Short mmCIF file of all heavy atoms in Angstrom, two decimals:
data_model
loop_
_atom_site.label_atom_id
_atom_site.label_comp_id
_atom_site.label_asym_id
_atom_site.label_seq_id
_atom_site.Cartn_x
_atom_site.Cartn_y
_atom_site.Cartn_z
N GLY A 1429 129.81 79.25 140.80
CA GLY A 1429 129.12 79.10 139.53
C GLY A 1429 128.34 77.80 139.45
O GLY A 1429 128.26 77.03 140.40
N GLY A 1430 127.77 77.57 138.27
CA GLY A 1430 126.99 76.35 138.05
C GLY A 1430 125.57 76.66 137.64
O GLY A 1430 125.01 77.71 137.98
N ALA A 1431 124.97 75.74 136.92
CA ALA A 1431 123.61 75.94 136.40
C ALA A 1431 122.57 75.99 137.50
O ALA A 1431 121.59 76.73 137.40
CB ALA A 1431 123.27 74.83 135.41
N ILE A 1432 122.75 75.24 138.57
CA ILE A 1432 121.71 75.14 139.58
C ILE A 1432 121.50 76.47 140.31
O ILE A 1432 120.37 76.89 140.54
CB ILE A 1432 121.98 73.99 140.58
CG1 ILE A 1432 120.73 73.69 141.41
CG2 ILE A 1432 123.18 74.28 141.47
CD1 ILE A 1432 119.60 73.10 140.64
N LEU A 1433 122.59 77.17 140.66
CA LEU A 1433 122.44 78.44 141.38
C LEU A 1433 122.05 79.59 140.46
O LEU A 1433 121.43 80.56 140.91
CB LEU A 1433 123.73 78.80 142.13
CG LEU A 1433 124.09 77.98 143.36
CD1 LEU A 1433 125.22 78.65 144.13
CD2 LEU A 1433 122.90 77.76 144.27
N ASP A 1434 122.42 79.51 139.18
CA ASP A 1434 122.12 80.61 138.27
C ASP A 1434 120.80 80.44 137.53
O ASP A 1434 120.06 81.40 137.36
CB ASP A 1434 123.25 80.79 137.25
CG ASP A 1434 124.21 81.89 137.66
OD1 ASP A 1434 123.79 83.03 137.65
OD2 ASP A 1434 125.36 81.58 138.01
N LEU A 1435 120.49 79.22 137.09
CA LEU A 1435 119.28 78.97 136.32
C LEU A 1435 118.26 78.14 137.12
O LEU A 1435 117.07 78.43 137.11
CB LEU A 1435 119.61 78.21 135.03
CG LEU A 1435 120.72 78.76 134.14
CD1 LEU A 1435 120.85 77.91 132.88
CD2 LEU A 1435 120.49 80.21 133.79
N GLY A 1436 118.77 77.14 137.81
CA GLY A 1436 117.89 76.24 138.54
C GLY A 1436 117.08 76.91 139.61
O GLY A 1436 115.94 76.52 139.89
N VAL A 1437 117.63 77.95 140.21
CA VAL A 1437 116.90 78.67 141.27
C VAL A 1437 115.62 79.27 140.71
O VAL A 1437 114.58 79.29 141.38
CB VAL A 1437 117.81 79.72 141.93
CG1 VAL A 1437 118.18 80.84 140.95
CG2 VAL A 1437 117.16 80.31 143.17
N TYR A 1438 115.65 79.76 139.46
CA TYR A 1438 114.45 80.28 138.82
C TYR A 1438 113.45 79.16 138.54
O TYR A 1438 112.25 79.27 138.82
CB TYR A 1438 114.80 80.96 137.49
CG TYR A 1438 115.43 82.31 137.59
CD1 TYR A 1438 116.76 82.50 137.23
CD2 TYR A 1438 114.70 83.41 138.02
CE1 TYR A 1438 117.34 83.75 137.29
CE2 TYR A 1438 115.28 84.67 138.09
CZ TYR A 1438 116.60 84.84 137.72
OH TYR A 1438 117.18 86.09 137.79
N ALA A 1439 113.95 78.08 137.95
CA ALA A 1439 113.07 76.97 137.58
C ALA A 1439 112.41 76.35 138.81
O ALA A 1439 111.21 76.04 138.80
CB ALA A 1439 113.87 75.92 136.81
N LEU A 1440 113.18 76.16 139.85
CA LEU A 1440 112.64 75.59 141.08
C LEU A 1440 111.66 76.54 141.75
O LEU A 1440 110.65 76.09 142.33
CB LEU A 1440 113.76 75.21 142.04
CG LEU A 1440 114.55 73.96 141.64
CD1 LEU A 1440 115.87 73.88 142.40
CD2 LEU A 1440 113.72 72.70 141.89
N ALA A 1441 111.92 77.83 141.69
CA ALA A 1441 110.98 78.81 142.23
C ALA A 1441 109.65 78.75 141.47
O ALA A 1441 108.56 78.82 142.07
CB ALA A 1441 111.58 80.21 142.15
N PHE A 1442 109.74 78.64 140.15
CA PHE A 1442 108.55 78.52 139.32
C PHE A 1442 107.74 77.29 139.73
O PHE A 1442 106.53 77.37 139.96
CB PHE A 1442 108.97 78.41 137.85
CG PHE A 1442 107.83 78.21 136.88
CD1 PHE A 1442 107.18 79.30 136.33
CD2 PHE A 1442 107.43 76.94 136.52
CE1 PHE A 1442 106.13 79.12 135.44
CE2 PHE A 1442 106.39 76.75 135.62
CZ PHE A 1442 105.73 77.84 135.08
N VAL A 1443 108.42 76.16 139.86
CA VAL A 1443 107.75 74.92 140.23
C VAL A 1443 107.12 75.02 141.61
O VAL A 1443 105.95 74.70 141.82
CB VAL A 1443 108.75 73.74 140.18
CG1 VAL A 1443 108.19 72.51 140.89
CG2 VAL A 1443 109.10 73.40 138.74
N ARG A 1444 107.91 75.52 142.56
CA ARG A 1444 107.44 75.52 143.96
C ARG A 1444 106.18 76.33 144.16
O ARG A 1444 105.28 75.92 144.93
CB ARG A 1444 108.56 76.05 144.89
CG ARG A 1444 108.15 76.11 146.36
CD ARG A 1444 107.83 74.74 146.91
NE ARG A 1444 107.23 74.79 148.23
CZ ARG A 1444 105.91 74.81 148.46
NH1 ARG A 1444 105.05 74.79 147.44
NH2 ARG A 1444 105.44 74.83 149.68
N GLN A 1445 106.06 77.45 143.48
CA GLN A 1445 104.89 78.31 143.72
C GLN A 1445 103.58 77.70 143.21
O GLN A 1445 102.51 78.10 143.64
CB GLN A 1445 105.12 79.69 143.11
CG GLN A 1445 105.10 79.73 141.60
CD GLN A 1445 105.26 81.14 141.07
OE1 GLN A 1445 105.08 82.11 141.79
NE2 GLN A 1445 105.61 81.26 139.80
N PHE A 1446 103.68 76.72 142.31
CA PHE A 1446 102.47 76.08 141.80
C PHE A 1446 102.13 74.78 142.51
O PHE A 1446 101.07 74.20 142.27
CB PHE A 1446 102.61 75.80 140.29
CG PHE A 1446 102.47 77.02 139.43
CD1 PHE A 1446 103.58 77.58 138.81
CD2 PHE A 1446 101.24 77.63 139.25
CE1 PHE A 1446 103.45 78.71 138.02
CE2 PHE A 1446 101.10 78.75 138.46
CZ PHE A 1446 102.21 79.30 137.83
N LEU A 1447 103.02 74.30 143.38
CA LEU A 1447 102.78 73.05 144.09
C LEU A 1447 102.09 73.29 145.43
O LEU A 1447 102.31 74.32 146.08
CB LEU A 1447 104.10 72.32 144.34
CG LEU A 1447 104.88 71.83 143.11
CD1 LEU A 1447 106.17 71.16 143.55
CD2 LEU A 1447 104.03 70.87 142.27
N ASN A 1448 101.29 72.32 145.87
CA ASN A 1448 100.63 72.44 147.18
C ASN A 1448 101.62 72.33 148.33
O ASN A 1448 101.40 72.89 149.41
CB ASN A 1448 99.57 71.34 147.33
CG ASN A 1448 98.44 71.49 146.33
OD1 ASN A 1448 98.24 72.56 145.76
ND2 ASN A 1448 97.68 70.42 146.12
N SER A 1449 102.71 71.60 148.11
CA SER A 1449 103.72 71.41 149.15
C SER A 1449 105.08 71.17 148.49
O SER A 1449 105.15 70.87 147.30
CB SER A 1449 103.36 70.21 150.04
OG SER A 1449 103.26 69.02 149.28
N SER A 1450 106.13 71.29 149.28
CA SER A 1450 107.47 71.12 148.74
C SER A 1450 107.74 69.67 148.36
O SER A 1450 107.30 68.74 149.05
CB SER A 1450 108.50 71.57 149.77
OG SER A 1450 109.81 71.56 149.22
N PRO A 1451 108.45 69.43 147.26
CA PRO A 1451 108.78 68.06 146.86
C PRO A 1451 109.63 67.35 147.90
O PRO A 1451 110.55 67.94 148.47
CB PRO A 1451 109.57 68.25 145.56
CG PRO A 1451 109.18 69.59 145.06
CD PRO A 1451 108.94 70.42 146.28
N ASP A 1452 109.30 66.08 148.18
CA ASP A 1452 110.13 65.29 149.08
C ASP A 1452 110.89 64.19 148.32
O ASP A 1452 111.82 63.60 148.85
CB ASP A 1452 109.31 64.69 150.22
CG ASP A 1452 108.06 63.96 149.74
OD1 ASP A 1452 107.85 63.87 148.51
OD2 ASP A 1452 107.29 63.49 150.59
N ILE A 1453 110.48 63.94 147.07
CA ILE A 1453 111.23 63.02 146.21
C ILE A 1453 111.92 63.85 145.14
O ILE A 1453 111.27 64.59 144.40
CB ILE A 1453 110.30 61.98 145.56
CG1 ILE A 1453 109.67 61.10 146.64
CG2 ILE A 1453 111.07 61.13 144.56
CD1 ILE A 1453 108.65 60.11 146.11
N VAL A 1454 113.25 63.75 145.07
CA VAL A 1454 114.04 64.53 144.13
C VAL A 1454 115.06 63.60 143.48
O VAL A 1454 115.91 63.02 144.16
CB VAL A 1454 114.78 65.70 144.82
CG1 VAL A 1454 115.57 66.51 143.81
CG2 VAL A 1454 113.78 66.60 145.56
N LYS A 1455 114.98 63.46 142.17
CA LYS A 1455 115.92 62.63 141.42
C LYS A 1455 116.58 63.49 140.35
O LYS A 1455 115.96 64.42 139.83
CB LYS A 1455 115.21 61.45 140.76
CG LYS A 1455 114.43 60.56 141.71
CD LYS A 1455 115.35 59.79 142.64
CE LYS A 1455 114.55 58.83 143.52
NZ LYS A 1455 115.44 58.09 144.46
N SER A 1456 117.82 63.16 139.99
CA SER A 1456 118.50 63.99 139.00
C SER A 1456 119.64 63.25 138.31
O SER A 1456 120.11 62.22 138.79
CB SER A 1456 119.08 65.23 139.68
OG SER A 1456 120.18 64.88 140.51
N ALA A 1457 120.05 63.82 137.19
CA ALA A 1457 121.27 63.41 136.50
C ALA A 1457 121.96 64.69 136.07
O ALA A 1457 121.32 65.57 135.47
CB ALA A 1457 120.96 62.53 135.29
N ALA A 1458 123.26 64.81 136.38
CA ALA A 1458 123.97 66.06 136.12
C ALA A 1458 125.26 65.83 135.36
O ALA A 1458 125.92 64.80 135.52
CB ALA A 1458 124.27 66.78 137.43
N VAL A 1459 125.62 66.81 134.52
CA VAL A 1459 126.90 66.85 133.82
C VAL A 1459 127.73 67.94 134.49
O VAL A 1459 127.29 69.08 134.61
CB VAL A 1459 126.72 67.18 132.33
CG1 VAL A 1459 128.08 67.27 131.64
CG2 VAL A 1459 125.84 66.14 131.64
N LEU A 1460 128.94 67.57 134.92
CA LEU A 1460 129.81 68.55 135.57
C LEU A 1460 130.82 69.10 134.58
O LEU A 1460 131.35 68.39 133.72
CB LEU A 1460 130.55 67.92 136.76
CG LEU A 1460 129.68 67.33 137.88
CD1 LEU A 1460 130.56 66.94 139.06
CD2 LEU A 1460 128.59 68.30 138.31
#
């Protein structure tokens, strides 16, 4: 379980398809 595999996969797919290349800088803050 978890938000990243259930929801984040959609959001990241949305982002990736509009970018020229894959992000190489990734920063985050998470609540477990």
Side-chain angles (χ1 to χ4, degrees):
I1432 194 68
L1433 289 191
D1434 262 293
L1435 310 183
V1437 66
Y1438 284 111
L1440 286 164
F1442 178 89
V1443 166
R1444 179 62 190 93
Q1445 70 177 344
F1446 285 107
L1447 295 179
N1448 295 342
S1449 59
S1450 187
D1452 50 3
I1453 297 175
V1454 181
K1455 304 291 184 182
S1456 71
V1459 177
L1460 301 188

